[in-house]
Amino acid sequence: MKSKLRISPLAWALLAVCPLLSAQQAPSGTEGLSPSHFDGQSWWKHVKFLADDKLEGRDTGSRGERKAQKYAIKQLKNAGAEPTGSNGFYQPVKFVSRQIVEKHCSLELIRDAKPQALTLGEDAIIGTRIMPAPEVEAPLVFVGYGLKVPEKNYDDFAGVDVRGKIIVIFSGSPAEIPGALASHYQTAAERWKVLRDAGALGIVSLINPASMDIPWSRIALNRAHPTMDLDYPEFNETEGAKLAVTVNPASAEKIFAGSGHTFEEIVALGKDRKPLPHFPLAASLAAKTEVIVNKIESANLVAQIPGSDPVLKNEYVVLSAHLDHIGIGQPINGDRIYNGAMDNGSGSALVLDMAASFKKNPEKLRRAFRRSILLVLVTGEEKGLLGSKYFAAHPTVPPQSIVADVNVDMFLPIVPLKLLTVLGLDDSDLGERVREVARSMGVKIQPDPEPLRNLFVRSDQYNFIRHGVPSVVMSVAPEPGSPEQQIFKDWLTQRYHAPSDDVDQPVDLAAAAKYEEIVRALLLNIANGEQRPEWNRDSFFRRYAEPAKIGQ
Ligand SMILES: [Zn+2]
């Protein structure tokens, strides 16, 4: 799962983390499971390998990620999956990495010609997802949510002159914009299109304290960790951008001083997604930045299990998961390795386990599998969904032959599986198929209960969606109002993108096995259906399947 911000370990170092179960104790039993292609054990074995300290957190392009790739290829070969990359199982991907040299950087608010320094790390951080200009100084203007959503006739830039200025936004969206639309227009690519048209030079993001996944201290902790981008001109989405800054909510009043408005006022409106005012701020922002740029290489892995139908086998149902995680970072409780057991050792392990399950049941397979299954283990997800962006733009099978993407990212089998959250539930007939499969296994489903977290655009399925491929992503969810909710909340606060997302955490093996069973049944449903999946008529994302309609 990609964080909204540059990540960030746990600065709860001083908080006692509850006593952890050992890996042996952790999994609960798998009794009473049916039907059973999975026992949870083989899945857990893969997770344990991928999240071992020896793999050093599988950072994109790292030694640890290469080890994970070698392991995955071995498992795929054992399962009889066929290489479908551009170089065997590999599809090489080139990246550029950017690392901030903070000691040579500065941020100053300038009011009445008087500079007020912002402390980097404490007050604000300079982002490197865009390539910052070495020096920039420009007036600040507050533009509310900073969104332009033509479908809703919504425009935070109407009547506001932002040319040559740095805009300040409150992250989030107004209630009048539905979740999927809001998520779409908050992606970097969409935002910068609007900013470029409006002539803005940079962006200062104020975090909505009500929707912070992780505390500021953790956001700031790994800011020196390099960010990455695809190293191909076609993917340069932030051309013209000179500066991107994120401000600690605790320091945000400094930005508003002298403007006649306060951050407190904005927070009060923003927490209920009310309309926000627009106004010039009484300050300019001056930034000096230095960035070290490097070239990095990694790869996606692509394999297939061919279908049985002479015609339909040329169509592919994608099962995707990201194999990378965030690597080695600032220590928390003395641990520097961000193992990424759930994020996304869990999803990668599922892909390997799934391949093996098809081999174990070949007779059923021959009868049941008409379309081919394409197994895609992408790189660079944590760097901004980069591996999947590359794959979706340059698939190693014909683009039109991809009928669906079932993405698995951090599905969190940390409680018994009774309820699944399904992102994309109402967007395509995949939703109906999930409904059917889940019902047959006694599992309830719900749409995204927290649309403000933008989860639908925060993992790899989004790149398939942008290329017109109906997609769905499911995760284990707590039943509303149950004590399980706290378990998920604690997991996000304490383990998400922290070294404690490792194999010494409680995991429910029966839930993992049941989840795998659902994914398997869904894949078969799609692979065997007479029709390929289709977007629902009223889905926002349908437009990408009909390129002529984009921009209308
Ligand atoms: Zn993640």
Side-chain angles (χ1 to χ4, degrees), residues 154-171:
Y154 180 90
D155 188 359
D156 276 319
F157 297 86
V160 187
D161 180 15
V162 301
R163 195 155 297 277
K165 295 178 183 165
I166 295 170
I167 65 158
V168 179
I169 64 154
F170 185 71
S171 56

Side-chain angles (χ1 to χ4, degrees), residues 143-158:
V143 290
Y145 299 101
L147 291 175
K148 184 171 176 180
V149 184
E151 290 85 347
K152 292 280 163 190
N153 282 321
Y154 180 90
D155 188 359
D156 276 319
F157 297 86

